Amino acid sequence: MASPTIKTPKDREGSRSFPLRLQLHLPLISRRCAAVVLEVTLVAASALIPYSIGLYAKEHSTGPSVPLNPVVASTEEAIAKTLAYPLRDPANRQVAPLTNLFWCGTLVLPILATSWQLYLLGKTGKTTFKAWFGVKVVTAYGEPPGLICAVFREGVGRWGLPVGTAYLLWRSTGAFPDIVILLGLAGLMLLAEAGSCLFNARRRTLHDKLAGTYVLDGNPSFTPYLENPTQAFRQPQGVTL
């Protein structure tokens, strides 16, 4: 007869930390995906919202126009060169002052949002949304990954390699300059990288392997992986009687 599982006070404290996890009863892999979707949404929204407001101000402004901010103009030129789309007529690079303000925000806000989430990930092992869903990233010693490791994990492993590979295929296979094909390739590469966890017993993706990290349930009572070799890669589930 199976023995009932009794949580220790520490376990109960960890459960109270993640009410959303308990309410939804989602498996860890689903919560990981949900956290990533919200992280991407946050960064995308921080760029799209001010860009849309700036575009609206440009189209509906009745006041005097000013030259497009040089930083914004340089960024636009770099993106146009990378993706091979034509630049606007220089005559159309006159914008409303409010447009310059919001389009500068389009460049700054995603950097701030990303930097803050990477800082949280490096120092605590959790971004804002990982904390919501009870997901934690640690090293093999059960410690937060640190800022450098977090930047490498996300910038190189999760995004750099898949998107970079998609871009190289796009440029070298004759699909250039069709943006739709590039987006499709990038989506497939990102999906394949994320799906690599399904072929690993410890659910480690490629970016986890590259960075030397592991993704755990965010219960604070887990056992560090290298603390006890006989119990490596296991988390305590409670005390049985």
Side-chain angles (χ1 to χ4, degrees):
M1 181 175 178
S3 300
T5 299
I6 301 177
K7 289 186 176 183
T8 64
K10 197 172 186 179
D11 292 325
R12 289 194 293 269
E13 180 183 355
S15 298
R16 287 196 299 268
S17 301
F18 307 112
L20 183 58
R21 172 169 65 87
L22 296 177
Q23 291 169 11
L24 299 180
H25 300 287
L26 293 174
L28 180 59
I29 190 169
S30 298
R31 287 182 277 131
R32 288 176 64 177
C33 293
V36 171
V37 169
L38 289 178
E39 288 162 1
V40 173
T41 301
L42 172 66
V43 176
S46 67
L48 291 175
I49 291 175
Y51 179 82
S52 299
I53 296 174
L55 185 61
Y56 180 87
K58 177 179 180 294
E59 298 295 335
H60 295 81
S61 175
T62 57
S65 298
V66 296
L68 185 63
N69 181 279
V71 176
V72 177
S74 298
T75 303
E76 183 182 61
E77 291 171 2
I79 294 174
K81 183 176 181 181
T82 301
L83 301 180
Y85 75 81
L87 283 172
R88 291 175 296 174
D89 189 322
N92 292 329
R93 305 190 90 184
Q94 298 290 316
V95 298
L98 196 60
T99 297
N100 263 341
L101 175 64
F102 279 100
W103 282 1
C104 286
T106 300
L107 301 180
V108 174
L109 291 180
I111 294 174
L112 293 178
T114 301
S115 299
W116 177 243
Q117 296 304 310
L118 287 174
Y119 174 81
L120 291 177
L121 182 62
K123 293 298 182 181
T124 67
K126 306 173 187 177
T127 63
T128 300
F129 301 110
K130 283 180 171 59
W132 284 8
F133 287 98
V135 177
K136 187 171 185 179
V137 177
V138 299
T139 66
Y141 295 94
E143 300 172 348
L147 186 57
I148 295 177
C149 180
V151 171
F152 180 82
R153 179 181 187 269
E154 300 297 317
V156 177
R158 186 193 292 276
W159 298 101
L161 286 178
V163 175
T165 301
Y167 183 79
L168 289 176
L169 288 173
W170 182 60
R171 292 298 298 258
S172 61
T173 58
F176 177 85
D178 192 320
I179 300 296
V180 175
I181 294 178
L182 174 61
L183 294 176
L185 287 173
L188 287 175
M189 291 297 173
L190 289 169
L191 185 62
E193 196 280 329
S196 62
C197 70
L198 299 176
F199 303 96
N200 184 276
R202 300 185 184 104
R203 295 296 184 257
R204 299 180 74 199
T205 58
L206 176 61
H207 62 266
D208 281 316
K209 293 180 180 179
L210 291 175
T213 56
Y214 301 81
V215 179
L216 305 179
D217 195 309
N219 193 312
S221 62
F222 72 89
T223 301
Y225 288 143
L226 299 185
E227 181 178 328
N228 185 350
T230 63
Q231 298 294 326
F233 307 105
R234 294 182 183 178
Q235 289 182 248
Q237 299 300 318
V239 179
T240 58
L241 298 178

